Amino acid sequence: MSGQLIREGYSGTGPGAITPDGCAVELYTRLSVGSEPDVIAAAVPAGSRILELGCGAGRVTHPLIRRGFDVTAVDESAQMLEKVRGARTVQSPIEALELGDETFDVVMLASFLVHTGDHRVRDGLLRSCRRYVRDGGVVLIQREGPDYHTGLPRERVEPAGYTLRIVSSQPVGDGVRSVRAEYEFDDAQWSQTFLSRPLSKEQFEEYLAAAGLGVDRYLTDDGVWVRAVPR
């Protein structure tokens, strides 16, 4: 674990270093990118300066750079940031990020981070989004789909050849659920257990409003990707 404390309610298993939220660094270097770069590129002007909050090992960062975006990649894990190439990197918890008066055309909060179980952390994430988006800029947020916590267990085989399973989602109190995911490759297996607070569209929009943001439009039919703007 490289001396890092794992957060309560979070854990990870498998080869290599595990970050405080249970993410295995080697696993995240192997995960394939889906439609995220297409959704992002269609929602923002070409060449935008993007602040990517919670970049991990650069799964989405690298395709965005190849498309000509100028990316500043933020993650709390130095081990994750070591895997990022071609972007300016900043090691910091998102809610404590300090970039002075700097602002960006686009601030991106993906990987369902808005569903953190801790109200204070979520509010801090959204405040950072608002603080660092320029006037006239946009914030892109990835939400859980409406069936994320139902129909479990379920699995899918990714084009890269590994299997992703969402094994379980159990209530642990105060509207929070404990989710277990497993990743199976030919040569290795990983698991991650993390906390998630399901949010209705109304709750989500209320939290945005409290941070000074409002929905511009939902970018995907399932409501997973959202473009928000400063209010």
Side-chain angles (χ1 to χ4, degrees):
M1 308 277 179
S2 302
Q4 297 182 97
L5 293 175
I6 300 297
R7 291 195 182 91
E8 185 176 355
Y10 293 77
S11 63
T13 66
I18 307 291
T19 66
D21 56 357
C23 297
V25 176
E26 184 182 340
L27 167 64
Y28 275 73
T29 67
R30 295 187 181 202
L31 295 182
S32 55
V33 70
S35 62
E36 295 98 328
D38 296 327
V39 172
I40 294 159
V44 304
S48 293
R49 293 185 68 233
I50 297 177
L51 177 64
E52 183 187 3
L53 301 175
C55 65
R59 182 179 64 90
V60 177
T61 319
H62 297 141
L64 292 177
I65 291 168
R66 289 193 291 270
R67 289 169 186 245
F69 293 104
D70 176 1
V71 182
T72 294
V74 176
D75 204 275
E76 68 178 355
S77 168
Q79 293 152 313
M80 286 287 195
L81 291 176
E82 287 172 2
K83 307 298 184 181
V84 175
R85 298 288 181 266
R88 168 194 176 197
T89 59
V90 179
Q91 183 187 356
S92 174
I94 296 166
E95 62 272 26
L97 182 62
E98 287 294 340
L99 295 175
D101 295 330
E102 195 170 359
T103 58
F104 296 81
D105 305 317
V106 180
V107 179
M108 191 169 76
L109 185 70
S111 302
F112 313 129
L113 292 176
V114 74
H115 290 275
T116 176
D118 189 320
H119 287 298
R120 292 170 299 178
V121 172
R122 182 203 57 245
D123 292 346
L125 300 181
L126 293 174
R127 280 196 303 271
S128 287
C129 290
R130 177 63 186 90
R131 175 177 176 181
Y132 293 112
V133 66
R134 67 167 178 81
D135 291 342
V138 298
V139 176
L140 302 182
I141 300 173
Q142 187 181 23
R143 302 169 60 234
E144 294 173 349
D147 57 352
Y148 187 83
H149 296 274
T150 60
L152 304 181
R154 65 174 178 268
E155 69 175 40
R156 69 174 184 264
V157 178
E158 296 290 342
Y162 63 90
T163 300
L164 164 61
R165 298 185 185 91
I166 304 296
V167 179
S168 59
S169 172
Q170 302 293 334
V172 292
D174 188 35
V176 177
R177 302 184 74 89
S178 175
V179 180
R180 179 178 172 86
E182 296 178 348
Y183 302 83
E184 183 175 337
F185 291 74
D186 288 341
D187 62 339
Q189 296 184 8
W190 285 271
S191 75
Q192 183 181 9
T193 300
F194 57 94
L195 299 180
S196 169
R197 181 182 297 279
L199 301 174
S200 68
K201 188 176 287 189
E202 292 74 21
Q203 289 171 320
F204 169 71
E205 293 183 1
E206 286 175 6
Y207 293 138
L208 284 187
L213 297 166
V215 171
D216 178 49
R217 63 186 173 96
Y218 288 85
L219 299 172
T220 51
D221 291 340
D222 57 10
V224 167
W225 280 94
V226 185
R227 187 170 72 180
V229 294
R231 295 293 193 220

